[in-house]
Each structure stands twice: as C-alpha cells, then as structure tokens.
Amino acid sequence: MQTRLVDAQAHAARTMWNLLHDWWTMLPNAKRTLAAADAEIRRARREIDWLAALPAQAAQAVLKTYFQAWRNYWDGRAGVPHFKARARTVMSVDIPQGRDLRIKRVHRRWGMVNIPKIGRVRFRWTRGLPIGKAADCDNKITGARLVKDPLGWHIAFRVQTVDPVPEPHTGPEVGIDAGVIIPLALSDGHHQDHGRAAHLPDGTADRDKWLNPDERIKLLRLEQQAAHRKSFRKPGQKASNRLNRTYDRIASLRATAKRRANDWQHRTTTRLASTYGVIVVEKLDIPNMVKRVGGTTEKPGKNVAQKSGLNRSISLEAWGRTVTMLTYKAARRGGTLHQVPASGTSRRCSVCGFTTRGSRESQAVFVCKNRDCGWSGNADLNAARNVLHLYRTGRALVPAAGRAVVRRPRGVKPATTP
C-alpha cells in the first residue's frame, strides 16, 4: 500500500514538471515569473485530484528545481530543460523540510521515518544520522529524497554538518593508471583488481561480470523468456503484464550488478585515500575515447566491432566516477589528487625514459626497445610509474579539487581591458 502511494507521488511530481515546462515555454518572457508559476501550481493541485497526492512542499521543490535548471542553462552549466518521459525518467519525490521526517532508530539495522501523506515507513539504517541529542545547529538533517530503481524505493537524507579541517596526510605518493584488464594499476605494484574477468572467452566485454554463475543462468533464462513473449506481440501492441514482469526481473538483476560495482569502487577508493597522501592520475578525455567509429556507407569505419567492445569496457569501468570519488575522499583525509597529461605514458619506459610506439607489444606486456635497457614487464605498471614520474617532474595540471571554474552565460563575450 505504501509503495503504491509513493508511486502516485512520484508520477504526480513528474507530471507537475511536464505541465510546468509546457506552461513556461508557451508564455512570453515578460510573464515568466516564479510568482505566476507558483499560482499555477496551486491552482492545478486544487483542480486535479491526483496531483493533490503530491504534498505542497514537494510541489514547491519541483518548481525550485525547474527554475534552477533554467538558471544552469542560462549560465552555461547545463543543457536546456526538457520534457520528462515516463520510460526514461527516474521516479523520485523530494522532502524539502527535515522537521517533517521525525526519524527514530528502532534498533541496530532499522529505523522509522515519516513521509508526508504516506505515514511511518521503515528503512534500513546504514550509517549514523544526527538525530536526538546528536542534532544541533551545525549538524542536522535538512531534508530527504525518495528515489526508485529496479530494486525498489530508497531514501537519501540531506545532512548539514561541519567537518573539521583534516591534518595533512603523511602517506606515500602513488601513480594510478586506469585500465580494462587491471582496473587500477598502482605504481608500487599493489594493483586493485575486482577479481572478475573483464572479457568473455570470445573477447567481448562482459557486462554481467558482477553476477555469480547462478544469477547469470537466471538472467539468460529471463532474456530468453522475454524474447519468446515479445515474438507474439503485434506491431503497435502494448506489452503484456507477463512481459513487463520479465523485464522488471531482468532490470533487478542488472541493478544488483551495478550496485556491486559501485560498492567495489567505494571500498577501493576509500582504501586508496586512506593509504596514500598524494594520488596522481591521468587527465583522460573519456567522452572522446568512447566515440563511435561506425562511419557511413561510403566511408565505413575500421575495426568497428573491436572499438565497440573497447567503448563498452571503458563505460563499465566508470573511470570518471573513480576519479571523482578519489578527489573528495582524499581531501577529507588531508591528501591531494593531481592529474597529469595522459599522452605518452604507455609508450615511455619507466626505467630509462626511452619512448617509442612499438614498446607496448600487447595489452599486458611492455618491452623497452632501447638496446642499453631492454626492460620488460607489465604495461599497466609501467604506465602507472610514468604517471607518478610526470607529477614529480612538475608536469601536474591544476588539482581536481583546486580552483573553481569560472563560467559565463552563453553568447556573452569575456570582458577585455581597454
């Protein structure tokens, strides 16, 4: 019952966004004001019964989020706000006021929270929250957000806290090379591997590597069922309830694999940030690295299947999210994260410094072509040592957590001195 009520609130919030988007884009600029939008939202909640399922404060949060989306677009920080389709939108409900939650811890694993127009809801207690005597003006819960994924509804609390300035981290320096076979290769040889093969026997990227053998068999059986049931659907006909339930079970297994991958990333980055005082990574242009090479009929691309598999492997490893985690976790522990140029790190010998294109003979083997050196070893380890070498020689770029990026509105030229 509670799940259906939260679903109704989420659908109302998405519809409120879409109605607000249509109203905003149809009006002339002179009539687009927050006061007028607020008046329209209040009238819509009075006239449409099922929109009233969304609490008033949550409806105001939709308005603030929508207006902030336009401000981000005007300032050049994001694209233009768009219509939220039901199939491609994450269902969520915002609770902007912390005093409405009335959180209570039942025992070690579970707690109770009050959801407006829903009632008391039990949730899994995973970390400490400033409630009761632990709450004060500096440490308190300011709100929450309900988010739904294929595994069900989850609640995320917004906590305002004051963290003390950490002492400088005295740990060693380390260079990290992000890869596909070895996810994180460290310059000291302590590579971080999730213990799962990145590729299938035929060489393609394994998107289900985080599932155990029984779950893989179950996923294959569900995909076969979905394909069989889909074959009976006529063009333009809606999917049956059985087919939708099969899709939901497939999505649940995919979400389980994604959650395990996120857990590995969090555990690994926490361990690295706690161990090392200076972490050096490559400045990778990931969007450019995963571009398609399909080409056209007149000029077809080369090695399309291999490039597609590499793009899939890079996306599965989520290198950008790893760097983001390392950035804020290192800062919390008094460490720093630096980025260096990525060009040449896989072709340079970390022992003698000789650089040539053919030194990396394969994905895992590096052999120096310098006759006076001839060093051979793991290619990822060699690249990680080169990354650390660039930092020690003063080739580091602006730290990831350093200065803020100054942005200007689109279409406005920067000011020039006369």
Side-chain angles (χ1 to χ4, degrees), residues 50-122:
W50 57 274
L51 281 182
L54 186 67
Q57 296 297 333
Q60 294 296 320
V62 173
L63 173 60
K64 293 180 180 179
T65 304
Y66 182 78
F67 186 71
Q68 182 62 41
W70 275 107
R71 294 185 62 179
N72 294 338
Y73 169 69
W74 295 331
D75 296 340
R77 294 191 295 267
V80 61
H82 54 80
F83 182 87
K84 288 190 175 183
R86 179 169 183 167
R88 299 188 301 270
T89 302
V90 178
M91 297 179 63
S92 62
V93 179
D94 194 68
I95 306 174
Q97 295 183 350
R99 64 172 181 265
D100 296 334
L101 298 173
R102 294 188 304 212
I103 302 172
K104 181 180 179 181
R105 188 165 189 173
V106 180
H107 53 78
R108 183 174 62 89
R109 291 192 175 187
W110 296 98
M112 298 292 293
V113 61
N114 183 70
I115 306 298
K117 292 196 173 184
I118 302 295
R120 302 293 288 175
V121 178
R122 187 180 70 164

Side-chain angles (χ1 to χ4, degrees), residues 339-341 343 389-398:
Q339 293 182 331
V340 297
S343 59
H389 172 76
L390 290 176
Y391 166 75
R392 289 176 174 175
T393 55
R395 296 288 303 279
L397 303 174
V398 176

Side-chain angles (χ1 to χ4, degrees), residues 191-241:
H191 304 322
Q192 303 297 314
D193 189 5
H194 41 57
R196 300 169 185 265
H199 295 88
L200 295 172
D202 59 356
T204 59
D206 187 6
R207 61 175 300 187
D208 303 322
K209 60 186 176 183
W210 292 101
L211 298 178
N212 57 43
D214 293 337
E215 291 171 336
R216 286 172 178 266
I217 296 174
K218 182 179 179 180
L219 178 62
L220 178 60
R221 178 172 53 83
L222 290 174
E223 289 178 341
Q224 291 174 346
Q225 287 182 1
H228 177 70
R229 290 170 179 172
K230 186 179 179 181
S231 63
F232 294 98
R233 189 178 63 179
K234 298 179 181 179
Q237 184 180 6
K238 294 180 62 177
S240 63
N241 292 333

Side-chain angles (χ1 to χ4, degrees), residues 42-59:
R42 294 174 183 272
R43 187 175 69 175
R45 294 184 69 252
R46 289 194 303 266
E47 296 178 355
I48 305 176
D49 296 338
W50 57 274
L51 281 182
L54 186 67
Q57 296 297 333

Side-chain angles (χ1 to χ4, degrees), residues 110-151:
W110 296 98
M112 298 292 293
V113 61
N114 183 70
I115 306 298
K117 292 196 173 184
I118 302 295
R120 302 293 288 175
V121 178
R122 187 180 70 164
F123 69 94
R124 184 69 177 266
W125 197 286
T126 56
R127 60 181 304 175
L129 295 173
I131 62 173
K133 296 182 180 180
D136 52 32
C137 59
D138 294 330
N139 298 276
K140 59 183 179 180
I141 297 176
T142 60
R145 188 174 184 84
L146 299 171
V147 181
K148 187 178 184 180
D149 65 6
L151 296 177

Side-chain angles (χ1 to χ4, degrees), residues 155-168:
I155 185 168
F157 297 100
R158 289 189 293 270
V159 180
Q160 174 185 314
T161 181
V162 178
D163 294 331
V165 179
E167 295 292 333

Side-chain angles (χ1 to χ4, degrees), residues 32-47:
R32 296 177 180 177
T33 62
L34 281 176
D38 178 66
E40 293 296 329
I41 286 179
R42 294 174 183 272
R43 187 175 69 175
R45 294 184 69 252
R46 289 194 303 266
E47 296 178 355

